[in-house]
């Protein structure tokens, strides 16, 4: 299952990218999964599925990883959105008497960056999309 070039007219051939071979492999697996929305993700073997859907460095470093990969607009936007969400949800959980749950919201933010970073880097490098969202 290959993505149609008509869907993404600015699409760049993965073979010509100046990235490590491991990234090319992830990008090809992302294409097999159907692109950024991953409609065919379950057709991939588990190991490829995991490498496409999770990035350990993105999980650990979050917005700093995005900055290192040249995705500063998304880093700023997602960081601001996550801070706002954590403050809002954390306050609501504190008022509901669940401060322990509120204290763990940072793990959710880390998981968000870990799950999104491969897809966002694919969108930047292959699809030429490097906007605010």
């Amino acid at each position: 299952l290959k993505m149609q070039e008509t869907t993404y007219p600015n699409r760049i051939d993965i073979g010509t990218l100046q990235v490590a071979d491991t990234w090319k492999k992830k990008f090809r697996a992302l294409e097999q999964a159907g692109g950024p929305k991953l409609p065919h993700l379950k057709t991939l073997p588990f190991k490829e599925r995991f490498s496409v859907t999770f990035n350990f460095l993105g999980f650990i470093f979050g917005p700093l990883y995005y900055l290192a990969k040249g995705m500063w607009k998304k880093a700023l936007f997602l960081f601001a959105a996550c801070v706002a969400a954590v403050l809002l949800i954390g306050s609501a959980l504190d008022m509901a008497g669940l401060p322990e749950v509120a204290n763990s919201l940072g793990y959710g933010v880390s998981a968000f960056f870990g799950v999104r970073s491969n897809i966002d880097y694919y969108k930047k490098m292959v699809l030429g999309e490097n906007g605010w969202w």
Side-chain angles (χ1 to χ4, degrees):
L1 301 170
K2 195 164 185 161
M3 288 183 29
Q4 297 177 350
E5 291 185 23
T6 56
T7 309
Y8 299 100
N10 298 330
R11 189 188 169 284
I12 298 167
D13 181 39
I14 293 171
T16 63
L17 292 173
Q18 298 295 317
V19 294
D21 288 337
T22 55
W23 276 112
K24 290 179 184 181
K25 187 175 179 180
K26 286 181 187 183
F27 292 162
R28 287 186 180 104
L30 260 162
E31 285 197 343
Q32 284 183 324
K37 294 184 181 179
L38 306 172
H40 309 293
L41 181 65
K42 292 190 179 195
T43 63
L44 297 177
F46 177 77
K47 186 177 177 183
E48 282 186 13
R49 203 177 323 159
F50 184 75
S51 75
V52 164
T53 58
F54 190 77
N55 186 306
F56 185 72
L57 292 175
F59 176 80
I60 297 296
F61 297 109
L64 297 176
Y65 183 74
Y66 273 61
L67 290 173
K69 290 295 183 184
M71 300 183 289
W72 65 271
K73 291 178 185 176
K74 285 186 183 179
L76 290 174
F77 175 78
L78 292 175
F79 178 72
C82 286
V83 166
V86 165
L87 289 175
L88 182 69
I89 295 169
S91 297
L93 288 169
D94 278 339
M95 287 190 281
L98 301 168
E100 302 85 15
V101 178
N103 292 338
S104 66
L105 290 175
Y107 296 112
V109 170
S110 292
F112 175 79
F113 278 101
V115 169
R116 289 296 310 172
S117 55
N118 286 345
I119 294 167
D120 287 336
Y121 193 51
Y122 170 84
K123 288 168 77 174
K124 176 189 182 236
M125 298 302 293
V126 178
L127 304 181
E129 297 177 11
N130 197 21
W132 290 98
W133 178 249

